[in-house]
Amino acid sequence: KQEVTQIPAALSVPEGENLVLNCSFTDSAIYNLQWFRQDPGKGLTSLLLIQSSQREQTSGRLNASLDKSSGRSTLYIAASQPGDSATYLCAVRGSGETSGSRLTFGEGTQLTVNP
Amino acid sequence: NAGVTQTPKFRILKIGQSMTLQCAQDMNHNYMYWYRQDPGMGLKLIYYSVGAGITDKGEVPNGYNVSRSTTEDFPLRLELAAPSQTSVYFCASRTTVGTGNTIYFGEGSWLTVV
């Protein structure tokens, strides 16, 4: 059974700092990995999706990497801003699944960026 | 563009009552999902559907039922509500057309069972 772990559970940084969020998964047979942002009282917004054949994806100040063989992904946020404060979740989609393509989620990292 | 719409946003139920959480998407997505999120936890899949008329169980289906009579709608039914069903419920959808795999979430339904 796939298990996804995110470290740290919470992180507080001063504005402007570069930071890294970590995600690890136990079964390397994945189809893709996705990073989401969740604001309080809101749903999840997709940030980046990395296919299993890719090593990284970039969007603006965000860069996500994937090392499938070691079961790890990182989300790098450059020049953090208070508006980046949210909970960040990673989710993996297994390659062995057919219908449904269910995602297995980590528990999230709660990020606070202080002005 | 409405995306994924969930109703109600908040609901308080008494133990043993029943209710239906509504979910609708206007993106013509074939796949739809229901997840629950408990405090400080990730999301767990309750049920999913790969198209109209087809549904299947996820990780935590007990106490719930779903139907998918149309592509747009995927209601989640809670029968005989229990305190353990107090949670935030998220509906999501995605398409399998093309290479896009992004999943889109609704804003959630907060349910308290007392």
Side-chain angles (χ1 to χ4, degrees):
Chain A
K1 177 186 173 184
Q2 179 74 270
E3 293 182 359
V4 179
T5 303
Q6 290 187 246
I7 295 173
L11 181 63
S12 181
V13 300
E15 182 177 4
E17 191 163 297
N18 302 325
L19 59 100
V20 175
L21 307 181
N22 297 291
C23 173
S24 62
F25 45 96
T26 55
D27 186 351
S28 61
I30 66 169
Y31 186 81
N32 61 38
L33 182 145
Q34 201 162 353
W35 282 93
F36 294 88
R37 170 185 173 135
Q38 185 176 28
D39 292 291
K42 298 290 187 181
L44 281 69
T45 301
S46 179
L47 297 173
L48 290 165
L49 184 149
I50 311 176
Q51 302 289 0
S52 63
S53 58
Q54 297 175 323
R55 296 284 293 180
E56 64 178 347
Q57 282 283 349
T58 298
S59 176
R61 294 182 293 107
L62 305 180
N63 176 277
S65 68
L66 174 64
D67 184 342
K68 197 172 67 166
S69 61
S70 68
R72 294 180 183 178
S73 176
T74 61
L75 178 66
Y76 175 82
I77 302 177
S80 58
Q81 303 170 358
D84 295 329
S85 298
T87 297
Y88 292 80
L89 295 104
C90 72
V92 298
R93 177 182 157 196
S95 61
E97 293 148 347
T98 53
S99 299
S101 300
R102 61 191 68 182
L103 298 178
T104 302
F105 282 84
E107 296 182 356
T109 294
Q110 186 173 353
L111 173 65
T112 302
V113 181
N114 301 301
Chain B
N1 187 356
V4 180
T5 303
Q6 292 182 232
T7 56
K9 180 88 171 179
F10 301 98
R11 181 73 186 267
I12 298 175
L13 275 182
K14 293 184 178 178
I15 294 172
Q17 286 185 321
S18 301
M19 74 160 297
T20 299
L21 299 177
Q22 302 290 344
C23 176
Q25 52 91 10
D26 62 358
M27 298 173 281
N28 200 34
H29 286 174
N30 48 341
Y31 281 41
M32 295 188 74
Y33 307 83
W34 273 106
Y35 289 90
R36 61 176 285 173
Q37 184 179 34
D38 298 321
M41 305 292 286
L43 279 71
K44 294 191 182 300
L45 182 64
I46 306 172
Y47 270 95
Y48 65 95
S49 169
V50 301
I54 306 170
T55 63
D56 208 346
K57 296 178 180 179
E59 296 175 80
V60 289
N62 292 343
Y64 306 95
N65 278 299
V66 294
S67 60
R68 184 95 182 270
S69 57
T70 66
T71 298
E72 294 79 18
D73 300 299
F74 189 41
L76 177 71
R77 177 88 177 156
L78 281 73
E79 304 282 3
L80 298 175
S84 62
Q85 293 178 303
T86 294
S87 190
V88 184
Y89 292 83
F90 289 100
C91 180
S93 73
R94 72 177 182 93
T95 182
T96 54
V97 175
T99 58
N101 286 287
T102 300
I103 188 168
Y104 295 86
F105 281 84
E107 295 203 338
S109 296
W110 273 251
L111 176 67
T112 302
V113 181
V114 296

